[in-house]
Amino acid sequence: MPENSSHAGEFHRDTRYINDRIVSDLPPGSPPVLTPDGHYLWPVESGRYRLIGARACPWAHRAIITRRLLGLDSVISLGLAGPLHDSRSWTFDLDPHHKDPVLGIHFLRDAYLRRFPDYAQGITVPCLIDVTTGKVVTNNFQSITEDFSFQWRKFHHHNAPQLWPKDRCEEMRELMEWIYNTINNGVYRCGFAQSQHAYDTAYEQLWSALDVLEDRLSRQRFLMGSFLSEADIRLYCTLIRFDAVYHNHFKCNRNKISEMPHLWGYLKELFQIPAFGETTDFHQIKQHYYGVHSDINPTGIIPQGPDLSPLLQPHGREFLPGSVFPSEAGEPDRS
C-alpha cells in the first residue's frame, strides 16, 4: 500500500526513521549515549546486534549485500522476515514455528514496541536489533549501510571492497540522492501514483535517469569508475527487480532492463558476484509485490515469468578497466 499520497496524486514515502547510529568510538558493552539532537549512539560490538531484513525488500537487500561484501557475517547476525506481511508487521514465517530463533518473536513490531511502546511510524526492514534487550536500535536504511563501511571497519574482511572512495564521497552522495529520487523511489512513484499527471511525471524522470546511466555505463565499469561502490549496491537492488516486477506491476514499461545493453551487462556482472546473486530471491520478490499490493493486483496472481536465466550468461564488460576487489586488479588497499 502507498505510504502517503498528496492531493496531486503523487506518492510520497514516509521517511521518518529511528536515526540512532552504531559507532566505533564507544567502548564495547557501554550503554547508548544521548546526543544533543535527541538520538542515541550505540557502540560497535561483535555479536550484540542482529540485522533483520527480507529478501523481497530492495531497501533491506542493500544491507544484506553490504554485510556480506564486507565480511561482517560473523559479527552481525542476520534474521530474515518472509515476503508477505499484513498491516501489523513483517513476520518470521520462514523460521520454525514462525519465530525468529534469536529474538524469539513472531512479529518484527515486537522489537519496535519493546523500545517505543507507542511507536506510530512504519515497522520497516532493514533494522538493527540489540540482541541483549530485544529492542530496535535503528531502521534508517541509508545510514545502516554507510555505518557498515565506516564504523565497522575493524571487522571487515581483509580484501573487502572500499565502497566509499574517500576522495569522491560527496560526489557519490549526490549521485545516490539522484538515483534514489528518480529510480529507487521513482519506480514506486510510478506504481503508486494516484493521478495520470503524477504517473507521467515519475515515468519520464525514471526513464530519463535510466538513459543517463545507460550512457554512463557504456564508458565505465561501475557507477563511480573502475571499482564497486555503495552506489552500485543501491542501484542493483532496483535494477534486479525491474523486469520481474516494476516493468509490469508498477507500469514502468517503456522497455526492460534486458533491452538496454550496457545496464543489462552491468546488472549481469553484479548478479554474478556471490554477495549479490546469492542473496537475490526472485520467488520471494514476486511473492511480495504481487501478493501484498492488493490495490494494484487484486487477484493476487503471481506471474511465472520472465525468464531470468540470461543473468548467468557472460556479461561482456571485460573491455572496461576495473574490478570488484582491489587485489584482483593488482591495486593497493584503498581504505
Side-chain angles (χ1 to χ4, degrees):
M1 293 290 290
E3 296 175 15
N4 187 25
S5 294
S6 71
H7 294 299
E10 297 177 351
F11 168 72
H12 293 280
R13 182 172 298 279
D14 184 352
T15 56
R16 295 172 294 172
Y17 299 110
I18 303 167
N19 291 314
D20 289 11
R21 306 291 287 264
I22 299 174
V23 297
S24 58
D25 55 357
L26 292 176
S30 62
V33 176
L34 183 64
T35 67
D37 61 2
H39 304 301
Y40 284 88
L41 300 179
W42 301 65
V44 164
E45 185 176 341
S46 177
R48 179 167 177 173
Y49 306 101
R50 185 163 176 80
L51 173 65
I52 301 298
R55 296 198 189 280
C57 172
W59 320 106
H61 198 182
R62 299 176 174 190
I64 294 170
I65 292 170
T66 304
R67 168 183 172 271
R68 181 162 175 182
L69 271 177
L70 297 177
L72 296 175
D73 311 53
S74 63
V75 295
I76 302 172
S77 66
L78 175 65
L80 292 171
L84 301 175
H85 60 76
D86 56 26
S87 59
R88 292 172 294 180
S89 176
W90 292 86
T91 60
F92 296 100
D93 51 314
L94 301 176
D95 293 306
H97 310 295
H98 294 191
K99 181 188 294 186
D100 181 87
V102 173
L103 301 174
I105 56 177
H106 296 280
F107 296 94
L108 181 56
R109 67 173 182 178
D110 295 343
Y112 281 71
L113 296 179
R114 280 178 184 172
R115 183 172 176 199
F116 304 105
D118 56 351
Y119 189 78
Q121 278 74 58
I123 307 295
T124 61
V125 291
C127 62
L128 285 163
I129 310 297
D130 179 10
V131 175
T132 60
T133 63
K135 297 178 180 180
V136 65
V137 173
T138 178
N139 65 340
N140 189 325
F141 65 91
Q142 308 274 24
S143 63
I144 286 174
T145 52
E146 182 175 346
D147 289 344
F148 280 176
S149 282
F150 288 107
Q151 304 298 329
W152 292 81
R153 189 182 298 272
K154 71 177 181 180
F155 292 110
H156 288 184
H157 186 271
H158 75 278
N159 195 35
Q162 172 54 261
L163 297 176
W164 286 76
K166 59 185 178 181
D167 57 339
R168 301 180 68 186
C169 284
E170 289 312 308
E171 178 188 352
M172 191 172 78
R173 287 187 196 278
E174 292 178 7
L175 176 65
M176 292 191 301
E177 181 68 15
W178 174 75
I179 289 173
Y180 171 82
N181 289 323
T182 59
I183 299 175
N184 299 147
N185 198 43
V187 294
Y188 288 86
R189 291 172 56 226
C190 291
F192 290 139
Q194 298 294 304
S195 73
Q196 189 67 50
H197 175 72
Y199 165 76
D200 289 345
T201 299
Y203 181 94
E204 290 165 7
Q205 291 175 351
L206 168 68
W207 285 107
S208 176
L210 287 171
D211 286 340
V212 168
L213 295 184
E214 171 73 1
D215 176 67
R216 184 185 184 108
L217 291 167
S218 71
R219 293 175 279 107
Q220 58 191 56
R221 196 148 181 178
F222 302 105
L223 287 176
M224 296 305 296
S226 299
F227 294 95
L228 188 74
S229 71
E230 177 149 337
D232 297 297
I233 298 172
R234 295 187 182 195
L235 179 61
Y236 171 87
C237 294
T238 298
L239 293 186
I240 201 62
R241 288 161 173 76
F242 201 97
D243 289 6
V245 175
Y246 303 142
H247 177 270
N248 177 49
H249 186 59
F250 279 174
K251 306 181 184 69
C252 302
N253 58 354
R254 190 193 76 177
N255 55 258
K256 295 180 178 179
I257 298 301
S258 57
E259 296 166 343
M260 304 179 76
H262 300 294
L263 276 168
W264 181 236
Y266 164 82
L267 183 59
K268 287 195 288 185
E269 178 166 20
L270 294 180
F271 181 77
Q272 292 168 27
I273 299 167
F276 289 80
E278 292 178 5
T279 61
T280 301
D281 188 316
F282 290 113
H283 179 64
Q284 289 191 32
I285 288 168
K286 291 193 290 185
Q287 273 188 306
H288 173 71
Y289 284 95
Y290 289 101
V292 170
H293 301 154
S294 58
D295 52 335
I296 297 176
N297 185 40
T299 64
I301 294 173
I302 301 171
Q304 293 192 29
D307 177 15
L308 293 163
S309 61
L311 283 163
L312 294 173
Q313 295 175 358
H315 54 74
R317 292 181 63 77
E318 297 88 350
F319 71 97
L320 293 166
S323 173
V324 175
F325 301 102
S327 65
E328 292 178 354
E331 294 288 334
D333 185 355
R334 298 182 301 134
S335 60

